[in-house]
Amino acid sequence: MKLGVSSKLMDTIIREDLEQIKGSIDPGPFQGKRALVSGGSGFLGSWICDVLSQIGSKIICVDNLSTGVVENVEHLKGTNGFEFEKADVCTYSRSPKVDMVFHLASRPAPEDYQKHPVETALANATGTDKMLDLARKNDARVFYSSSSEVYGDPEIFPTPESYEGKVDPLGPRSCYEEGKRFGEALCKAYHDQYGVDVRIGRLFNSYGPRLRPDGLYGRVVSRFIMQAQSGHDITVFGDGSQTRSFCYVADSVTGILRFLGNNRASAEALNIGNDEERKILYLAETVKKLVGSSSTIRFLPFPKGDHRRRLPDVQKSIKQIDWLPRTTLEDGLRRTILWLKK
Ligand code: UDP
């Protein structure tokens, strides 16, 4: 496919998804407001910047570009009220006037964050402290991007927000799992002590356009698609019987914005995920089929600390923000495959 055609296709997919998100949220709470988005040039952060800027928010996008890529927000530079700041949340020292803070800055990919455990833990500890303090000074509302990993390797399925988790504080993933747990605890502490309005979203395996496929940064969906498209082996860890519940990015971002826009949800944690649970081997086979690839599925050792199952209980999100993912795995994969074909 020629570059010109594929970049148009990429734009079309993202544009259509942005329209769907905008049609599924109330823009009222965001219009004319100023938002700081940490991790704003990463996967989810850049989608949030796109939606907010299209519905009339002014944005300060803060990113140290450790895993975020500036191309994700390049098109927003120079647009009304968009500001990009290359900065680390842990040393963030400015005090801009803001109405909302979205704290998403953290390395999300297991192989990558295990190579940078100190930065990962601190982005969720010191970084969260900086963002909460900024919110406190501005009386701003906060969205904290937490994760299904706060449940560790859970024992209850579907997993409700009330489940306390099964986490090894010294396990291979602890910098992220415990980092997110501490981040949540700090959100609650700022709420209880200073009355900061915080919303904790526990995201379950979001995927879609802009999810990085490369090297240590690669998450399973984008990595499998790239492997299938290039004819390389598709690398399934273990026997592929471990499961995940994949949530298409347009659905995740809709959930995040409905949660932040909701007036009654302060100091709540909410699962933001899809309740379609799938085996990783099924994902590999489906990607291979949808791409029309002749790649071989290659089985590699199951990584230490990897999780066996992940499935959110979505009853609270239905009740609290009247939201459920709409995109099937097959449809979301087709869109991601088209987007990655560039
Ligand atoms: N996985 C895999 N092959 C890969 C990358 C990941 O089989 O090349 C598996 C991994 O073992 C995990 C699941 O896919 O069980 C999801 O991995 P990901 O890195 O996307 O994030 P996680 O959900 O583990 O945080």
Side-chain angles (χ1 to χ4, degrees), residues 108 110-111 113 149 173 205 218-221 223-224 227 235-237 242 244 280 302-303 306-307 310:
E111 287 176 44
Y113 69 59
E149 297 217 21
R173 291 187 175 218
N205 291 80
R219 305 300 298 278
V220 69
V221 172
R223 187 184 282 184
F224 280 4
Q227 289 170 334
T235 53
V236 169
F237 297 160
Q242 72 271 33
R244 294 295 184 268
I280 294 301
F302 190 67
D306 202 331
H307 300 149
R310 233 179 252 165

Short mmCIF file of all heavy atoms in Angstrom, two decimals, residues 108 110-111 113 149 173 205 218-221 223-224 227 235-237 242 244 280 302-303 306-307 310, ligand 1:
data_model
loop_
_atom_site.label_atom_id
_atom_site.label_comp_id
_atom_site.label_asym_id
_atom_site.label_seq_id
_atom_site.Cartn_x
_atom_site.Cartn_y
_atom_site.Cartn_z
N PRO A 108 3.64 1.57 30.35
CA PRO A 108 2.60 0.56 30.53
C PRO A 108 2.97 -0.87 30.12
O PRO A 108 2.28 -1.81 30.50
CB PRO A 108 1.49 1.07 29.59
CG PRO A 108 2.24 1.75 28.48
CD PRO A 108 3.56 2.22 29.04
N PRO A 110 4.73 -4.42 30.08
CA PRO A 110 5.45 -5.21 31.09
C PRO A 110 6.94 -5.39 30.82
O PRO A 110 7.77 -5.20 31.71
CB PRO A 110 4.73 -6.55 31.08
CG PRO A 110 3.35 -6.24 30.59
CD PRO A 110 3.48 -5.08 29.64
N GLU A 111 7.31 -5.73 29.58
CA GLU A 111 8.75 -5.97 29.34
C GLU A 111 9.54 -4.68 29.50
O GLU A 111 10.68 -4.68 29.97
CB GLU A 111 8.97 -6.54 27.92
CG GLU A 111 8.53 -7.98 27.81
CD GLU A 111 8.66 -8.51 26.38
OE1 GLU A 111 9.69 -8.27 25.73
OE2 GLU A 111 7.71 -9.16 25.90
N TYR A 113 8.53 -1.86 31.40
CA TYR A 113 8.58 -1.32 32.77
C TYR A 113 9.45 -2.17 33.69
O TYR A 113 9.99 -1.66 34.67
CB TYR A 113 7.18 -0.99 33.33
CG TYR A 113 6.22 -2.12 33.66
CD1 TYR A 113 6.51 -3.13 34.58
CD2 TYR A 113 4.94 -2.12 33.09
CE1 TYR A 113 5.60 -4.11 34.89
CE2 TYR A 113 4.01 -3.10 33.40
CZ TYR A 113 4.35 -4.10 34.29
OH TYR A 113 3.43 -5.08 34.60
N GLU A 149 -4.11 -4.22 36.78
CA GLU A 149 -2.97 -4.84 37.47
C GLU A 149 -3.00 -4.59 38.98
O GLU A 149 -2.24 -5.20 39.71
CB GLU A 149 -1.65 -4.39 36.85
CG GLU A 149 -1.54 -4.85 35.41
CD GLU A 149 -0.15 -5.27 34.99
OE1 GLU A 149 0.68 -5.60 35.85
OE2 GLU A 149 0.09 -5.25 33.78
N ARG A 173 6.40 -7.89 38.50
CA ARG A 173 5.58 -6.76 38.03
C ARG A 173 5.27 -5.75 39.12
O ARG A 173 4.44 -4.86 38.95
CB ARG A 173 4.25 -7.29 37.48
CG ARG A 173 4.37 -8.05 36.19
CD ARG A 173 3.00 -8.38 35.63
NE ARG A 173 3.12 -9.02 34.33
CZ ARG A 173 2.31 -8.81 33.30
NH1 ARG A 173 1.31 -7.99 33.41
NH2 ARG A 173 2.51 -9.43 32.16
N ASN A 205 -6.57 -3.68 29.49
CA ASN A 205 -6.02 -3.97 28.14
C ASN A 205 -6.70 -3.21 27.00
O ASN A 205 -7.35 -3.80 26.14
CB ASN A 205 -6.05 -5.48 27.88
CG ASN A 205 -5.04 -6.20 28.76
OD1 ASN A 205 -5.31 -6.45 29.94
ND2 ASN A 205 -3.88 -6.49 28.23
N GLY A 218 6.08 -3.07 22.89
CA GLY A 218 4.92 -3.68 22.23
C GLY A 218 3.99 -4.37 23.20
O GLY A 218 4.42 -5.17 24.03
N ARG A 219 2.71 -4.07 23.05
CA ARG A 219 1.68 -4.81 23.78
C ARG A 219 1.19 -5.93 22.87
O ARG A 219 1.37 -5.89 21.66
CB ARG A 219 0.52 -3.89 24.18
CG ARG A 219 0.96 -2.68 24.97
CD ARG A 219 1.65 -3.04 26.28
NE ARG A 219 0.79 -3.78 27.19
CZ ARG A 219 -0.10 -3.21 27.99
NH1 ARG A 219 -0.24 -1.90 28.01
NH2 ARG A 219 -0.85 -3.95 28.80
N VAL A 220 0.49 -6.90 23.47
CA VAL A 220 0.26 -8.13 22.72
C VAL A 220 -0.52 -7.90 21.41
O VAL A 220 -0.17 -8.48 20.38
CB VAL A 220 -0.39 -9.21 23.61
CG1 VAL A 220 -1.83 -8.87 23.99
CG2 VAL A 220 -0.33 -10.56 22.94
N VAL A 221 -1.54 -7.05 21.42
CA VAL A 221 -2.37 -6.90 20.21
C VAL A 221 -1.55 -6.32 19.06
O VAL A 221 -1.50 -6.88 17.96
CB VAL A 221 -3.60 -6.02 20.50
CG1 VAL A 221 -4.35 -5.71 19.20
CG2 VAL A 221 -4.54 -6.70 21.48
N ARG A 223 1.65 -6.04 18.76
CA ARG A 223 2.81 -6.89 18.42
C ARG A 223 2.38 -8.04 17.51
O ARG A 223 3.02 -8.30 16.49
CB ARG A 223 3.45 -7.42 19.71
CG ARG A 223 4.73 -8.14 19.43
CD ARG A 223 5.31 -8.74 20.67
NE ARG A 223 6.00 -7.77 21.51
CZ ARG A 223 6.65 -8.10 22.63
NH1 ARG A 223 6.67 -9.34 23.04
NH2 ARG A 223 7.27 -7.19 23.34
N PHE A 224 1.29 -8.73 17.88
CA PHE A 224 0.82 -9.85 17.04
C PHE A 224 0.48 -9.36 15.63
O PHE A 224 0.77 -10.02 14.64
CB PHE A 224 -0.42 -10.52 17.66
CG PHE A 224 -0.13 -11.48 18.80
CD1 PHE A 224 1.17 -11.67 19.28
CD2 PHE A 224 -1.16 -12.22 19.39
CE1 PHE A 224 1.43 -12.55 20.33
CE2 PHE A 224 -0.91 -13.12 20.44
CZ PHE A 224 0.38 -13.27 20.90
N GLN A 227 3.66 -8.73 13.73
CA GLN A 227 4.31 -10.01 13.39
C GLN A 227 3.57 -10.69 12.23
O GLN A 227 4.19 -11.17 11.29
CB GLN A 227 4.32 -10.93 14.63
CG GLN A 227 5.27 -10.46 15.72
CD GLN A 227 5.12 -11.21 17.04
OE1 GLN A 227 4.05 -11.74 17.36
NE2 GLN A 227 6.19 -11.25 17.83
N THR A 235 4.55 -14.66 18.46
CA THR A 235 5.16 -15.21 19.68
C THR A 235 4.15 -15.31 20.81
O THR A 235 3.86 -14.32 21.49
CB THR A 235 6.33 -14.29 20.13
OG1 THR A 235 5.81 -12.94 20.23
CG2 THR A 235 7.47 -14.29 19.13
N VAL A 236 3.62 -16.50 21.01
CA VAL A 236 2.68 -16.72 22.11
C VAL A 236 3.47 -17.20 23.34
O VAL A 236 4.24 -18.16 23.24
CB VAL A 236 1.62 -17.77 21.72
CG1 VAL A 236 0.81 -18.22 22.92
CG2 VAL A 236 0.71 -17.20 20.64
N PHE A 237 3.27 -16.53 24.46
CA PHE A 237 3.98 -16.93 25.68
C PHE A 237 3.18 -18.04 26.38
O PHE A 237 1.95 -17.94 26.50
CB PHE A 237 4.15 -15.74 26.63
CG PHE A 237 5.00 -14.62 26.06
CD1 PHE A 237 4.92 -13.33 26.58
CD2 PHE A 237 5.88 -14.84 25.01
CE1 PHE A 237 5.70 -12.29 26.07
CE2 PHE A 237 6.67 -13.81 24.49
CZ PHE A 237 6.58 -12.54 25.02
N GLN A 242 -3.64 -18.34 28.83
CA GLN A 242 -3.93 -17.16 29.67
C GLN A 242 -4.91 -16.26 28.92
O GLN A 242 -4.93 -16.26 27.69
CB GLN A 242 -2.64 -16.41 30.06
CG GLN A 242 -1.95 -15.63 28.96
CD GLN A 242 -0.93 -16.45 28.19
OE1 GLN A 242 -1.11 -17.64 28.01
NE2 GLN A 242 0.12 -15.80 27.70
N ARG A 244 -7.14 -12.40 28.45
CA ARG A 244 -7.28 -10.96 28.67
C ARG A 244 -8.65 -10.56 28.14
O ARG A 244 -9.23 -11.25 27.30
CB ARG A 244 -6.20 -10.15 27.94
CG ARG A 244 -4.76 -10.35 28.44
CD ARG A 244 -4.57 -9.85 29.85
NE ARG A 244 -3.19 -9.95 30.31
CZ ARG A 244 -2.67 -10.99 30.97
NH1 ARG A 244 -3.41 -12.07 31.21
NH2 ARG A 244 -1.42 -10.97 31.38
N ILE A 280 -5.17 -15.90 24.82
CA ILE A 280 -4.12 -15.28 23.99
C ILE A 280 -3.90 -16.10 22.71
O ILE A 280 -3.67 -15.54 21.65
CB ILE A 280 -2.81 -15.12 24.80
CG1 ILE A 280 -3.03 -14.10 25.94
CG2 ILE A 280 -1.65 -14.71 23.92
CD1 ILE A 280 -3.45 -12.70 25.51
N PHE A 302 6.43 -19.06 29.38
CA PHE A 302 5.50 -18.14 30.06
C PHE A 302 6.31 -17.27 31.01
O PHE A 302 7.02 -17.79 31.88
CB PHE A 302 4.47 -18.97 30.83
CG PHE A 302 3.32 -18.18 31.38
CD1 PHE A 302 2.39 -17.58 30.53
CD2 PHE A 302 3.15 -18.03 32.75
CE1 PHE A 302 1.32 -16.85 31.03
CE2 PHE A 302 2.07 -17.31 33.26
CZ PHE A 302 1.16 -16.72 32.40
N PRO A 303 6.24 -15.93 30.88
CA PRO A 303 7.08 -15.06 31.72
C PRO A 303 6.70 -15.15 33.20
O PRO A 303 5.52 -15.27 33.53
CB PRO A 303 6.80 -13.66 31.18
CG PRO A 303 6.13 -13.85 29.86
CD PRO A 303 5.43 -15.18 29.93
N ASP A 306 3.60 -13.11 34.98
CA ASP A 306 2.49 -12.87 34.05
C ASP A 306 1.19 -13.35 34.72
O ASP A 306 1.22 -14.18 35.63
CB ASP A 306 2.73 -13.67 32.76
CG ASP A 306 1.96 -13.10 31.56
OD1 ASP A 306 0.89 -12.51 31.77
OD2 ASP A 306 2.45 -13.26 30.43
N HIS A 307 0.06 -12.80 34.27
CA HIS A 307 -1.21 -13.14 34.91
C HIS A 307 -2.01 -14.14 34.07
O HIS A 307 -2.01 -14.07 32.86
CB HIS A 307 -2.03 -11.86 35.13
CG HIS A 307 -1.31 -10.87 36.01
ND1 HIS A 307 -1.46 -9.52 35.90
CD2 HIS A 307 -0.40 -11.07 37.01
CE1 HIS A 307 -0.71 -8.91 36.78
NE2 HIS A 307 -0.05 -9.83 37.47
N ARG A 310 -7.81 -12.29 33.17
CA ARG A 310 -8.25 -10.92 33.48
C ARG A 310 -9.63 -10.70 32.87
O ARG A 310 -9.81 -10.81 31.67
CB ARG A 310 -7.27 -9.92 32.89
CG ARG A 310 -6.78 -8.95 33.92
CD ARG A 310 -5.81 -8.01 33.32
NE ARG A 310 -4.46 -8.27 33.75
CZ ARG A 310 -3.41 -7.77 33.14
NH1 ARG A 310 -3.55 -7.04 32.07
NH2 ARG A 310 -2.21 -8.02 33.61
N1 UDP B 1 1.92 -12.05 25.27
C1 UDP B 1 2.28 -13.06 24.39
N2 UDP B 1 3.21 -12.76 23.43
C2 UDP B 1 3.78 -11.52 23.30
C3 UDP B 1 3.40 -10.51 24.20
C4 UDP B 1 2.47 -10.81 25.19
O1 UDP B 1 1.79 -14.19 24.46
O2 UDP B 1 4.61 -11.34 22.40
C5 UDP B 1 0.92 -12.35 26.32
C6 UDP B 1 1.46 -12.07 27.71
O3 UDP B 1 2.09 -13.21 28.22
C7 UDP B 1 0.20 -11.70 28.48
C8 UDP B 1 -0.75 -11.15 27.43
O4 UDP B 1 -0.20 -11.50 26.17
O5 UDP B 1 -0.35 -12.85 29.07
C9 UDP B 1 -0.90 -9.63 27.47
O6 UDP B 1 0.37 -9.05 27.39
P1 UDP B 1 0.63 -7.49 27.36
O7 UDP B 1 2.11 -7.31 27.30
O8 UDP B 1 -0.14 -6.84 26.28
O9 UDP B 1 0.12 -6.87 28.74
P2 UDP B 1 -0.42 -7.42 30.14
O10 UDP B 1 -1.87 -7.63 29.96
O11 UDP B 1 0.30 -8.69 30.49
O12 UDP B 1 -0.11 -6.34 31.09
#
